[in-house]
Amino acid sequence: RHKARWSYLRCEQEVQQLQSELSDAKMAIFEEREKVLKLSAENDALKIQEMEDREKIQKLLSLTNPALHEISFFKDTIPIHAVEVSRKGRNILESECRSCGVKVLEVQALRLQGQEQGALWREREDALVEERRVKA
């Protein structure tokens, strides 16, 4: 009888220890996912900055060495439309259009980051509620 009681208490302590370790592991996973989201957001910001820098470079190049005719396409942008460039320089509408494209990409990136962050917080909340239910 005493051995059974002692065995029961030992198993109960082991279960509590395993639950604590599981909780710690879940928290570590959530922290790592937060780091991934932050790095993803930083990556998005750097891509947008790269696009803006490319636009500035193109504008400066056009001022120093205007081309006869040129059509510009950018690999990583939303294809708004191609604007023909004359010998006089770049059309004002072209730069405005590109700026709009960059802003659209920026808004899309922020929207996606918000959705991912919300999903992470919902999962964390569900895990905490489940942990509370298990401990009770």
Side-chain angles (χ1 to χ4, degrees):
R1 194 173 189 185
H2 177 70
K3 284 185 179 182
R5 176 81 175 144
W6 182 79
S7 178
Y8 171 77
L9 290 175
R10 189 172 49 114
C11 288
E12 192 173 274
Q13 287 176 344
E14 188 176 332
V15 166
Q16 288 177 351
Q17 181 182 0
L18 289 172
Q19 285 177 340
S20 175
E21 290 173 3
L22 179 62
S23 177
D24 292 345
K26 285 180 181 179
M27 287 300 136
I29 289 171
F30 286 123
E31 289 171 3
E32 290 302 315
R33 287 182 66 194
E34 282 183 27
K35 288 178 186 177
V36 167
L37 289 177
K38 286 179 184 176
L39 288 173
S40 177
E42 184 178 340
N43 190 30
D44 290 344
L46 288 172
K47 285 181 181 179
I48 290 170
Q49 181 64 44
E50 177 188 11
M51 290 174 55
E52 290 172 345
D53 291 345
R54 285 178 191 247
E55 288 178 11
K56 289 176 187 175
I57 290 169
Q58 288 297 321
K59 184 176 180 180
L60 290 172
L61 285 174
S62 72
L63 293 173
T64 59
N65 190 14
L68 292 174
H69 289 290
E70 174 183 296
I71 297 178
S72 298
F73 293 100
F74 291 92
K75 181 180 177 183
D76 297 334
T77 60
I78 298 173
I80 297 171
H81 70 284
V83 178
E84 190 173 318
V85 180
S86 68
R87 193 174 212 310
K88 295 178 184 176
R90 296 197 178 274
N91 190 338
I92 294 172
L93 292 175
E94 178 186 16
S95 63
E96 289 176 3
C97 223
R98 284 192 188 149
S99 295
C100 290
V102 170
K103 297 300 179 194
V104 166
L105 288 176
E106 196 171 346
V107 168
Q108 288 174 345
L110 289 172
R111 185 177 295 135
L112 182 61
Q113 291 168 18
Q115 290 171 349
E116 290 172 344
Q117 192 73 288
L120 177 65
W121 283 106
R122 282 189 294 279
E123 287 180 29
R124 176 178 263 177
E125 181 182 11
D126 292 344
L128 291 173
V129 167
E130 177 67 21
E131 185 179 322
R132 181 184 289 168
R133 186 188 63 77
V134 168
K135 285 185 178 180

